[in-house]
Amino acid sequence: MEPSQKTEFCLRGIGCAPGVARGKAFVFLQRDVELPCYKLDDSLIDSEIARFDAAVEKTREQLNLLSAEMRARANEPEAEIFDAHLLVLDDPAVIGETEKAIKSTRINAEHCFNSVTARYIEFFSGLEDAYLKERAADIRDVAQRVLRNLLGKTQQHEGPDRFAERIIVAEELTPSETLAFEKSSVSALLTDAGNHTSHAAIMARSLGIPAVVGLRIATLRIAQDDDVLVDGEKGLVYINPSERTLDSYARISLRRSRLEIRIAEENVKPDLTADGTPFKIEGNISGKEDMEKFRQAHIDDVGLFRSEGIFLRTDRFPPEEMQYEEYRQVVEMIPPRNSIIIRTLDIGGDKHISGSLLPPEDNPFMGFRAIRFCLEFKDIFKDQLRAILRTSVNGNVKILLPMISSIAEVVAAKEVIEDAKSELRSRNVPFDEDIQIGSMIEVPAAVAIAEELADEVDFFSIGTNDLTQYMLAVDRGNEKISHLYDSYHPSVIRAIARTIRAAKSAEIPCTVCGELAGDPCFAPLLLGLGASALSMNPASAPRIRYILRHTTMQDVNKLAHAVIHDANPRSIQERLTIFINSILPVEM
Ligand code: PEP
Ligand code: MG
């Protein structure tokens, strides 16, 4: 591509998924559909009903197409969701009542259809049964599609080609939107909101899409089709890049790819430090679509399977069977001698499912999230636990409980696990009776009682993403305070050290599975602090291995000792940066 004729300007955000990309901007605005409301002339009633029927028919064709596409990709669970959406369209009540309302009120189709579906959504949301409640989400989804077709708008998530090779610019992206963009093979993602541990950022990293978040004003400064160059490592976004910028990026890309080649060449060597001490790298995944990258990275064990994937993709609480299929496929890809840690549902925070079980909250990260939700909706929790337990005959599966803040939560969760086991026993379904249960350590309260918690579980896994946000009271997704989200803060590092010490004295393993595990600056420190394993996005594994192979235990222990006695975040940052620069030039 030629350099841009327009004047270059640069925006600086938080680089959260490396890679350089150039392309045309697609400014993606997620506004609710605005509904017109107007009176119809008597002579227009029939044609209004015909317009409504045509929109319903078009929606039916789209859903049939989506369902067929999912089946062609052997994705039966998602195909079934679109089938369920088709049933909503076949419901004579919803369609018939809308037509009747158009006739009797003489108001346009959008308004009438919206009123009818709103009533049904309210009705289903108010039901006790969790699954019936979730039908509200189906109706809402279908209603949005029909309304868009009535208004002549296309679904923003569909028509993958519209996004292919484009640089997506959005105010904020949810994890499910990020997933949808991956299917469209976009070139890069830019958002006004977020920081490097928001879930959309983590997902972009694992999908290998260059991404910059926390840009604050990207949607205001970047126009549709602008020429944009993205540096996902440094967090820089050049709009209308000049010849000079393009030349300099050509050189940077060359240097980076030479280093990548060196790292890739060494990736198959044994995981031993330079003085021969073994270290352990594990992978974080969100579903079977991550397994290709997992294998390419030569990782053996899954240290964290974020099980929310299927819930977010389907935007509902899927039944046991559907979950079992999803987990089983992943478990069977891991040889039985290796382990796979499946974390139970960590919904809430920035991970939403539409529907009334998770209403909007003022402080979602401090609210009805993860284990708190599961202990309230035990049936949903048990569906998942039975699905996980059943996969334990297909491999070495372990259960990990998220967002634990008290012993009582672990005890209550273990009771639900026992109930799920009894239910399987009464169905004569086999599972691993001794399945290991671990606790995420990601809330300061858990750190403070780590010694006692260690007596209740078989292993710990430190979630540094949440631990940092809760330790420092800094919302991990809020770009206004992202400068305060500082993992170099001694409180975070000392909390990690304390947790590892507690695990060691209880003789249980302690993995680190937050983003710090895959951060070149932090990985040597975590090894020096004594973490049993570092579990990371597979894409980060080759680089972290390279670093740990080029250091000695003596050096990382010395580093950990110095850092743990340092109370100044900036001096800790300097120590870690000097250390890593002696092995690998991270900033280029
Ligand atoms: C964490 O909090 O560090 C973690 C691994 O979990 P998640 O990012 O999914 O909240
Ligand atoms: Mg977490």
Side-chain angles (χ1 to χ4, degrees):
M1 234 192 267
E2 289 297 302
S4 179
Q5 299 306 310
K6 298 188 201 152
T7 317
E8 170 183 299
F9 64 96
C10 178
L11 298 177
R12 188 179 285 272
I14 303 163
C16 68
V20 175
R22 186 177 176 205
K24 280 189 169 188
F26 188 108
V27 183
F28 175 80
L29 293 175
Q30 306 106 310
R31 304 255 148 77
D32 280 343
V33 183
E34 273 187 29
L35 293 184
C37 175
Y38 49 88
K39 266 276 188 223
L40 297 163
D41 210 76
D42 278 0
S43 61
L44 292 177
I45 302 288
D46 286 347
S47 62
E48 186 67 357
I49 291 176
R51 189 171 75 86
F52 171 64
D53 290 344
V56 171
E57 203 38 52
K58 188 164 175 195
T59 310
R60 196 189 311 281
E61 281 163 21
Q62 290 166 341
L63 288 170
N64 271 320
L65 209 80
L66 284 168
S67 154
E69 190 191 317
M70 289 304 143
R71 289 217 159 80
R73 292 191 199 180
N75 194 341
E76 187 58 28
E78 289 195 27
E80 280 169 13
I81 287 174
F82 294 121
D83 293 345
H85 287 185
L86 277 162
L87 291 180
V88 176
L89 284 184
D90 288 336
D91 185 341
V94 177
I95 307 301
E97 277 181 40
T98 304
E99 291 175 350
K100 243 202 272 165
I102 297 171
K103 275 190 203 147
S104 61
T105 62
R106 292 181 164 69
I107 293 181
N108 62 311
E110 288 88 346
H111 182 83
C112 293
F113 180 65
N114 190 47
S115 315
V116 171
T117 49
R119 266 204 326 273
Y120 279 96
I121 292 168
E122 201 186 326
F123 169 74
F124 280 108
S125 309
L127 296 179
E128 279 298 308
D129 183 292
Y131 287 112
L132 284 178
K133 245 182 177 12
E134 287 314 304
R135 294 296 68 74
D138 289 341
I139 301 175
R140 188 178 291 112
D141 224 65
V142 176
Q144 284 292 315
R145 285 178 193 279
V146 173
L147 288 172
R148 285 185 184 277
N149 285 330
L150 269 172
L151 294 163
K153 296 188 180 178
T154 47
Q155 292 279 330
Q156 295 246 37
H157 295 64
E158 287 163 19
D161 292 340
R162 280 156 39 101
F163 303 124
E165 287 165 34
R166 301 291 290 265
I167 309 273
I168 303 297
V169 187
E171 287 165 354
E172 159 168 52
L173 290 175
T174 63
S176 39
E177 281 164 343
T178 311
L179 264 181
F181 282 128
E182 190 251 353
K183 289 185 189 144
S184 323
S185 55
V186 302
S187 293
L189 297 172
L190 308 178
T191 63
D192 289 344
N195 84 17
H196 69 286
T197 62
S198 46
H199 284 104
I202 293 175
M203 213 164 263
R205 205 155 36 240
S206 83
L207 298 171
I209 307 172
V212 181
V213 299
L215 283 157
R216 291 160 185 252
I217 48 164
T219 51
L220 298 178
R221 296 293 309 275
I222 303 177
Q224 204 67 276
D225 293 331
D226 267 355
D227 180 12
V228 178
L229 177 78
V230 177
D231 179 343
E233 181 129 7
K234 289 192 177 165
L236 298 175
V237 178
Y238 296 88
I239 297 96
N240 310 320
S242 65
E243 195 153 356
R244 205 159 142 236
T245 303
L246 291 174
D247 279 353
S248 110
Y249 267 91
R251 282 196 302 276
I252 290 175
S253 294
L254 193 69
R255 278 208 302 276
R256 284 184 189 164
S257 57
R258 279 199 197 120
L259 179 63
E260 290 310 322
I261 291 170
R262 245 166 59 207
I263 289 174
E265 280 168 358
E266 290 204 12
N267 195 36
V268 284
K269 290 188 182 168
D271 286 342
L272 299 172
T273 58
D275 52 353
T277 309
F279 59 84
K280 204 159 175 2
I281 302 284
E282 298 177 344
N284 292 355
I285 60 162
S286 294
K288 63 173 184 286
E289 56 286 347
D290 292 336
M291 292 311 287
E292 188 50 39
K293 286 171 192 130
F294 179 88
R295 262 196 298 261
Q296 279 166 6
H298 296 279
I299 307 176
D300 297 322
D301 305 273
V302 173
L304 172 67
F305 179 176
R306 288 184 166 95
S307 65
E308 301 76 67
I310 183 170
F311 295 78
L312 297 172
R313 276 200 315 276
T314 56
D315 201 22
R316 59 159 65 180
F317 298 100
E320 173 188 329
E321 206 53 38
M322 197 192 272
Q323 292 187 59
Y324 168 66
E325 268 311 303
E326 169 99 359
Y327 308 147
R328 184 189 57 79
Q329 288 184 30
V330 178
V331 169
E332 285 183 349
M333 291 181 195
I334 309 283
R337 65 176 180 282
N338 300 117
S339 62
I340 166 161
I341 298 176
I342 306 184
R343 187 177 68 186
T344 59
L345 183 59
D346 183 4
I347 203 77
D350 61 352
K351 290 181 273 197
H352 306 285
I353 293 184
S354 52
S356 50
L357 297 186
L358 273 167
E361 296 178 290
D362 286 342
N363 284 310
F365 270 120
M366 308 252 263
F368 195 40
R369 183 184 166 192
I371 197 71
R372 301 172 180 182
F373 174 89
C374 289
L375 291 177
E376 183 75 25
F377 289 104
K378 292 205 175 84
D379 286 344
I380 292 176
F381 192 24
K382 261 194 291 177
D383 282 350
Q384 178 175 47
L385 290 169
R386 285 194 308 272
I388 298 175
L389 284 164
R390 284 169 62 187
T391 62
S392 64
V393 292
N394 306 89
N396 179 7
V397 176
K398 302 175 185 180
I399 296 176
L400 177 60
L401 305 168
M403 214 192 167
I404 292 295
S405 60
S406 69
I407 305 282
E409 280 169 344
V410 175
V411 171
K414 287 203 297 195
E415 276 168 21
V416 187
I417 294 172
E418 281 311 312
D419 286 350
K421 284 182 174 178
S422 323
E423 288 172 16
L424 289 178
R425 271 184 221 112
S426 65
R427 279 163 43 189
N428 286 325
V429 177
F431 62 89
D432 173 7
E433 289 279 355
D434 301 318
I435 193 162
Q436 289 196 12
I437 299 168
S439 169
M440 286 287 291
I441 304 292
E442 50 185 350
V443 178
V447 178
I449 54 166
E451 292 75 13
E452 289 81 1
L453 264 181
D455 291 337
E456 285 294 332
V457 292
D458 301 304
F459 63 96
F460 278 166
S461 190
I462 306 180
T464 54
N465 308 335
D466 278 316
L467 187 59
T468 305
Q469 84 162 340
Y470 294 131
M471 204 76 207
L472 303 177
V474 176
D475 180 340
R476 67 196 257 193
N478 186 340
E479 72 287 358
K480 286 193 211 74
I481 46 170
S482 60
H483 59 289
L484 298 176
Y485 185 96
D486 183 6
S487 299
Y488 297 103
H489 196 292
S491 64
V492 177
I493 292 167
R494 290 177 192 183
I496 296 170
R498 174 166 179 183
T499 305
I500 295 173
R501 270 202 311 274
K504 278 204 187 316
S505 58
E507 295 181 2
I508 61 167
C510 180
T511 301
V512 178
C513 69
E515 293 305 294
L516 292 191
D519 182 323
C521 276
F522 280 90
L525 172 68
L526 296 171
L527 186 66
L529 290 174
S532 333
L534 303 182
S535 187
M536 64 197 69
N537 164 1
S540 308
R543 183 174 288 229
I544 299 299
R545 278 204 178 105
Y546 180 93
I547 293 166
L548 300 184
R549 284 192 191 119
H550 287 259
T551 188
T552 63
M553 272 322 281
Q554 201 188 3
D555 285 346
V556 293
N557 287 339
K558 219 165 99 193
L559 176 73
H561 186 263
V563 166
I564 215 72
H565 291 97
D566 193 337
N568 178 343
R570 298 292 65 85
S571 121
I572 291 177
Q573 181 170 15
E574 201 182 321
R575 285 178 197 279
L576 297 184
T577 309
I578 291 172
F579 189 88
I580 188 61
N581 279 345
S582 69
I583 302 171
L584 180 94
V586 258
E587 276 300 308
M588 287 196 298

